[in-house]
Structure formats: C-alpha cells, structure tokens
Amino acid sequence: VPAMVFLSGSELHNSFWPSAYNPILTTSDALLLAFAATVTAGGVVELRRIASERERLMVFEHERAERLRELATLKADFSRMVAHELSTPLAAIFASAHLAEAGDSEVRSASLANIRSQVLALRGLVEDVQLAAVVERADFRVLSREVPVSVLLADAEDFAHTLEGLGQVSVHLGSDVLVRADRARIGQVTRNLLSNASRYSPPGSGVEMSAADTLSGVRISVRDHGPGVREEERERIFEKYARGREGAGTPGAGLGLYISRRILEAHGSELRVEPAEGGGSVFTFELARAG
C-alpha cells in the first residue's frame, strides 16, 4: 500500500504539478525512488516471512514424522506385548484342557484350577489395556473425596494377602489424617505397586507399606526387597510397555507403573522410585491433606 501511494503521488505530481527541470532529481523522481525502496524493502520482508514460514512448516513436518515413528513403534510394541502375553496363558489353558479331558478327577480339578488362574491373568491384561486407554484421555479425571489414610492402606493390605509369594506385609501407619483422593483409583495404584513387589521380589521376602506426614500432605511408600531399579531406568520404567532389565521374562504388560503415574498426576502428585537401604526399591507418592 505505501508503494502504491508513492507511485500514484509521482504520477499525479507529473500530471498536475510538474516539477521544475532539475538535472539531478525532481520531486516526482524522489517519489519514484521512495516507491522502489518500499517495494524492495517489502520484498525482503516478504521473503524473510516466507523463509520463516517454510522453516516452521519443516519443523512441524519433522515433529509430525517423529510422532508417526513413535506411534509405529508403540503399535509394534503393543502387538509384540499382546502376542507374548497371550501365548503363555493360552498354551497353558490348552494343555490343562487336554489333561482335564484325559485325566482322573484329581488331575481334572488341578487342570481346571490352572485354567481359572490363566483366565484371570488374561482378564487382568485386558483390564490393564482398557485402563491405559482411559487414563490417556484428555478428559480423564479422578473423583477426589475425603478418605482416611488408614482406609487406603487397609485396602492395599487386603489385596496383598491374595498375592502368592509376597510373604509378610508390614503396614506402618505414621499418619491417619484425612486426605483428598479417589479411593478406587488410589487402590489401583497400590495394587499395581504390590503386584510388582510380588513379581520381582524373592518368595517370602515381604513388603512394607507406610504413611508419613509431610509439609504438603501425606507420603505413602511401598518398599520391596527385589533387585532394585537401575539409576538409568528410573524414569523409563514409567513409560508405556517399558520394562526394566530385571523384569525381562517376567509376566506383565508393562502398563502398571504407567497407569499408576497417570492416576497420581490426575491427583496432582507424582510416583517416584528410589533405591532402598539394604536392597530393593521404594515407590512413593504424596496425597494432599483434606481441609
């Protein structure tokens, strides 16, 4: 627009107010020079804008390509995980069904018990996959209510007694104040932590759960006596389908810690892991005090 104003001014000046002859520069010439300078400056600015836009688009395309590669990797990991986790219980179910058909009543009872156990494992896998999809949604929320810490730990202790090989479960209630939490969701977190303790700890080694006051709320801890988590893996184990080196070959989809962290993030908290004195790991999170 400024360039067209200068050009129009030059033409109008020549038509209605001709400048006196000047061998060097007339007013009309000055307006033409201003027009040329404006066009040049505008062209440079536009070229820079185009270059900047092109760079932005290239960065966007690079990020999009990176996200697509990550998505492809996640799909491959998911397919591999599902194939691996389904193959073992399905093979056990097939073998147990065959034994139940051909065996006596005692063998049949043991086979049916094994089938029941493997079906429960499959159901747990399906529930984990479904829950992982729920916690990833942008509108995922928790229903926080006032609940005593002792109730949360009692729920976890009841579940711990159903786990095979977990050994003694020690509960240390250093705080029994009210916290704001979704009891069902926090129950899923503690169940995941206790299941991991059962899966990775030596049989009968036991686990300790505790609650202690902090400046901002109540810290809940679950300590196991397993091999521990390597320092370089302390963040990776919270990723979807991620497994630590010590977890290679153990059952599970690698979703428990990922789901637990997402649930705690919805509570405004964070799930952390630290090495325990004397061996093992301590998983901790905090809940806000009610009132």
Side-chain angles (χ1 to χ4, degrees), residues 69-150:
R69 281 194 293 269
E70 292 175 356
L71 180 60
T73 301
L74 284 175
K75 287 182 177 179
D77 289 344
F78 177 77
S79 299
R80 183 169 56 252
M81 179 273 297
V82 169
H84 176 268
E85 294 300 322
L86 290 181
S87 61
T88 301
L90 287 176
I93 290 173
F94 180 81
S96 297
H98 181 72
L99 288 174
E101 290 177 352
D104 54 23
S105 58
E106 184 176 347
V107 173
R108 187 178 297 109
S109 297
S111 299
L112 291 175
N114 188 39
I115 290 174
R116 192 177 302 110
S117 174
Q118 297 301 329
V119 169
L120 289 175
L122 288 175
R123 188 171 69 179
L125 173 61
V126 172
E127 289 175 351
D128 279 349
V129 173
Q130 290 176 333
L131 184 54
V134 170
V135 300
E136 284 181 333
R137 291 172 48 181
D139 60 348
F140 173 66
R141 297 289 185 273
V142 294
L143 301 177
S144 294
R145 299 286 188 273
E146 293 186 359
V147 56
V149 175
S150 58

Side-chain angles (χ1 to χ4, degrees), residues 3 24 36 117 127 135 138 166 207-208 220 223 233 257:
I24 299 176
S117 174
E127 289 175 351
V135 300
L166 187 58
V207 66
E208 292 91 42
I220 297 178
R223 180 203 167 157
E233 296 178 338
L257 292 178

Side-chain angles (χ1 to χ4, degrees), residues 5 21 62 77 118 151 161 172-173 186 188 194 210 219 232 244 246 260 269:
V5 170
Y21 174 76
H62 176 74
D77 289 344
Q118 297 301 329
V151 171
H161 292 316
H172 307 286
L173 192 60
I186 294 299
Q188 290 170 326
L194 290 170
S210 63
R219 181 178 63 250
E232 64 272 16
E246 302 296 339
S260 298
S269 182

Side-chain angles (χ1 to χ4, degrees), residues 4 15 22 30-31 50 65 91 106 122 142 147 156 180 225 229 235 238 248 254 262:
M4 295 306 299
S15 300
N22 189 325
L31 291 173
I50 293 173
E106 184 176 347
L122 288 175
V142 294
V147 56
R180 292 201 60 82
H225 295 272
V229 181
E235 281 301 316
F238 295 106
R262 295 282 294 183

Side-chain angles (χ1 to χ4, degrees), residues 216-228:
S216 56
V218 176
R219 181 178 63 250
I220 297 178
S221 303
V222 177
R223 180 203 167 157
D224 62 54
H225 295 272

